[in-house]
Amino acid sequence: MMYDCNLKIYQTLNVQSEFNIGLLLLYIIEGSSNISINGKTNMYKSNDMIVINDLDHYRILSSKKSVIACLFLSRVELDKFFRFNKKYYINKDKLDLSVLKFYMNKLIVNYVNDQSENEKQNKILEYINQLVMTLHLYRKLDGTIISNNIDVYSGINYMYEHYKEKLYIGKVATQCLLSVRRFSNKLEEVTGMRFNELLRNIRLSYSAFDLMYTKKLISQIANDNGFTNESGFITHFRDKYHITPAKFRKQLENDHYYPFHNKNTTLLRSFEHINDQIKYLTDRDVDYVSIYINMKNKIRSKISTPNLLIYIRDIETLTNNFQQSKLLSMRREIGLFGLLFSHQLFYELYQSNFENNKLVHQMFSFSLEHQFDISFEVKLGKNQNIEEFTLIFKRLLNYLTDCTYFYGQRSFQFYIDASY
């Protein structure tokens, strides 16, 4: 159910001055878009990824020929499915967009491919999970957001935690140590909404979640989410989403729902004309065999290395508890150093099914978890089959990319000797 509601591809997307509650990821497949976030406008083009944070203001104006993939995750979904804390935002300054693009490309390919519904749903949910967990690595508590408005953000989080109760602006203002007038003015300045409107939108977002993921009756959903009666809930829901709750739930079953509702926004129905563009974007990922690695030209480059490299000859060096303790004690004594995996070890990986080897997992887990710089010694012989080697090399790159999913952005160095 999730991807039906959260992932959509638009052919022109125009949204005016929205206040975001959750996470919105935009990926420009084709064309260009002017996107403003908190008053700062930039022009984005094909292969650009944009992350719009919780509580950001944004505006999207795309060209007529633009194609944009949009993944929206509400606060409710982030908290209940991915264990996000409501007091967060994503530190976009340190965010590794290349990893997000990697998973977004996988997401799009499976979304547009012809396959059985169950297979498609399982794969898409898997990549949504990987993408969100990558974002989770860059999560920051909201205490580091603009300090001038920390009291307002605290009030918004309090409203989220107590949205089912009978909330009054005076009670929330007291929690923020502000007068009612001061809190009301600052809340409207930050969100563009008055207290009652914001509270209603929070309740509606939880109601939409219940419509998507539960079989509760509409009357029960209204009661569970702070609405005094069913008719009032239906009226407010229709005003916000331009559809009644019952029709909303029915559209979800037919995959007709999409989050933006205006006459200048068009949902892409046929993916035929963007197949080539999607292939072009996805072919640039190391996950795809069509990546081109030129092994014929001799390239000289200066590579910055740690002051000390420990030469690793076999897997046991990094999987034996005694050897691990020695490496960590050396690190405490002499500081940071790097690990250089020998050609012999690289060749063992080359000959084996390393992706399914538990010792290999343990070796890389130890190295990455303890923040060692990792490099590889690679020697190519005169009789080396370059095509076969290139395929294995791609597999290793893909495997290392998946490893960084758990430990954050890392760089790997390869010292290739092909002097013959």
Side-chain angles (χ1 to χ4, degrees), residues 63-98:
S63 60
K64 290 184 178 179
K65 294 184 179 180
S66 65
V67 177
I68 303 176
C70 166
L71 178 66
F72 176 72
L73 296 160
S74 69
R75 268 194 175 202
V76 197
E77 290 165 327
L78 291 168
D79 292 338
K80 294 198 175 184
F81 293 152
F82 303 105
R83 299 186 181 279
F84 268 61
N85 186 299
K86 293 183 180 67
K87 300 178 181 179
Y88 75 90
Y89 81 112
I90 303 301
N91 188 345
K92 292 189 279 188
D93 293 334
K94 296 185 177 180
L95 190 61
D96 184 4
L97 290 176
S98 62

Side-chain angles (χ1 to χ4, degrees), residues 51 57 133 144 217 222 227 239 255 280 316 366 388 411:
V51 177
H57 284 276
M133 295 313 295
T144 56
L217 296 174
F227 292 96
D239 289 344
D255 193 20
Y280 168 72
E316 286 71 21
F366 171 78
E388 181 185 354
S411 60

Side-chain angles (χ1 to χ4, degrees), residues 343-361:
H343 167 67
Q344 177 184 346
L345 181 53
F346 181 85
Y347 192 67
E348 287 178 8
L349 295 178
Y350 170 76
Q351 289 186 313
S352 67
N353 185 19
F354 57 85
E355 294 97 333
N356 298 316
N357 189 317
K358 291 184 178 179
L359 282 178
V360 172
H361 295 337

Side-chain angles (χ1 to χ4, degrees), residues 312 318 324 327 331 339 341 361-374 407 410 412:
I312 308 297
L318 296 176
Q324 289 179 351
L327 284 172
R331 182 170 182 166
L339 304 177
F341 290 6
H361 295 337
Q362 188 178 341
M363 176 179 72
F364 282 114
S365 295
F366 171 78
S367 306
L368 291 166
E369 183 179 357
H370 294 285
Q371 301 292 307
F372 287 108
D373 287 332
I374 298 175
Y407 298 102
R410 299 297 301 276
F412 302 92

Side-chain angles (χ1 to χ4, degrees), residues 133-374:
M133 295 313 295
T134 300
L135 288 169
H136 197 282
L137 296 173
Y138 300 92
R139 188 185 58 160
K140 293 285 185 182
L141 295 182
D142 68 0
T144 56
I145 304 180
I146 307 169
S147 57
N148 292 340
N149 295 318
I150 189 63
D151 43 11
V152 174
Y153 290 116
S154 174
I156 293 172
N157 283 316
Y158 183 84
M159 292 168 70
Y160 261 93
E161 291 164 4
H162 300 273
Y163 72 97
K164 294 183 179 182
E165 304 170 10
K166 288 185 177 180
L167 275 185
Y168 301 98
I169 188 170
K171 184 175 182 179
V172 180
T174 301
Q175 294 292 325
C176 303
L177 303 179
L178 294 174
S179 68
V180 171
R181 182 177 180 181
R182 178 67 173 156
F183 174 71
S184 178
N185 290 339
K186 291 192 73 173
L187 185 68
E188 189 169 0
E189 179 185 335
V190 170
T191 67
M193 289 180 275
R194 293 188 176 276
F195 174 81
N196 287 334
E197 183 183 0
L198 177 59
L199 179 59
R200 185 165 58 247
N201 284 343
I202 290 171
R203 288 171 171 169
L204 287 172
S205 68
Y206 277 90
S207 302
F209 178 88
D210 284 344
L211 287 167
M212 293 176 190
Y213 302 108
T214 74
K215 295 183 178 180
K216 294 180 182 178
L217 296 174
I218 290 175
S219 58
Q220 185 182 352
I221 291 174
N223 185 62
D224 288 349
N225 291 289
F227 292 96
T228 54
N229 56 67
E230 182 180 351
S231 61
F233 164 60
I234 293 172
T235 299
H236 292 311
F237 193 94
R238 185 174 56 232
D239 289 344
K240 180 172 175 61
Y241 296 110
H242 308 287
I243 192 173
T244 64
K247 287 184 178 179
F248 175 86
R249 180 174 264 172
K250 188 173 182 179
Q251 281 197 356
L252 294 177
E253 296 171 359
N254 300 320
D255 193 20
H256 291 158
Y257 168 75
Y258 55 104
F260 298 114
H261 306 267
N262 63 65
K263 62 183 179 180
N264 297 317
T265 291
T266 307
L267 194 65
L268 187 66
R269 299 291 184 182
S270 172
F271 306 114
E272 291 182 7
H273 81 282
I274 62 165
N275 277 344
D276 290 340
Q277 179 66 7
I278 291 175
K279 186 176 186 303
Y280 168 72
L281 293 174
T282 55
D283 278 352
R284 296 199 280 186
D285 285 330
V286 294
D287 184 57
Y288 290 84
V289 175
S290 55
I291 186 172
Y292 179 62
I293 301 174
N294 189 345
M295 305 299 296
K296 296 180 180 179
N297 297 329
K298 187 175 180 181
I299 302 174
R300 296 182 179 276
S301 62
K302 294 181 179 180
I303 303 176
S304 58
T305 62
N307 293 329
L308 177 64
L309 286 174
I310 304 297
Y311 197 59
I312 308 297
R313 295 180 183 274
D314 51 55
I315 291 177
E316 286 71 21
T317 306
L318 296 176
T319 55
N320 180 282
N321 289 336
F322 176 70
Q323 296 289 354
Q324 289 179 351
S325 299
K326 283 178 62 177
L327 284 172
L328 294 176
S329 64
M330 285 177 61
R331 182 170 182 166
R332 286 192 295 269
E333 292 175 11
I334 65 176
L336 184 65
F337 56 81
L339 304 177
L340 175 60
F341 290 6
S342 69
H343 167 67
Q344 177 184 346
L345 181 53
F346 181 85
Y347 192 67
E348 287 178 8
L349 295 178
Y350 170 76
Q351 289 186 313
S352 67
N353 185 19
F354 57 85
E355 294 97 333
N356 298 316
N357 189 317
K358 291 184 178 179
L359 282 178
V360 172
H361 295 337
Q362 188 178 341
M363 176 179 72
F364 282 114
S365 295
F366 171 78
S367 306
L368 291 166
E369 183 179 357
H370 294 285
Q371 301 292 307
F372 287 108
D373 287 332
I374 298 175

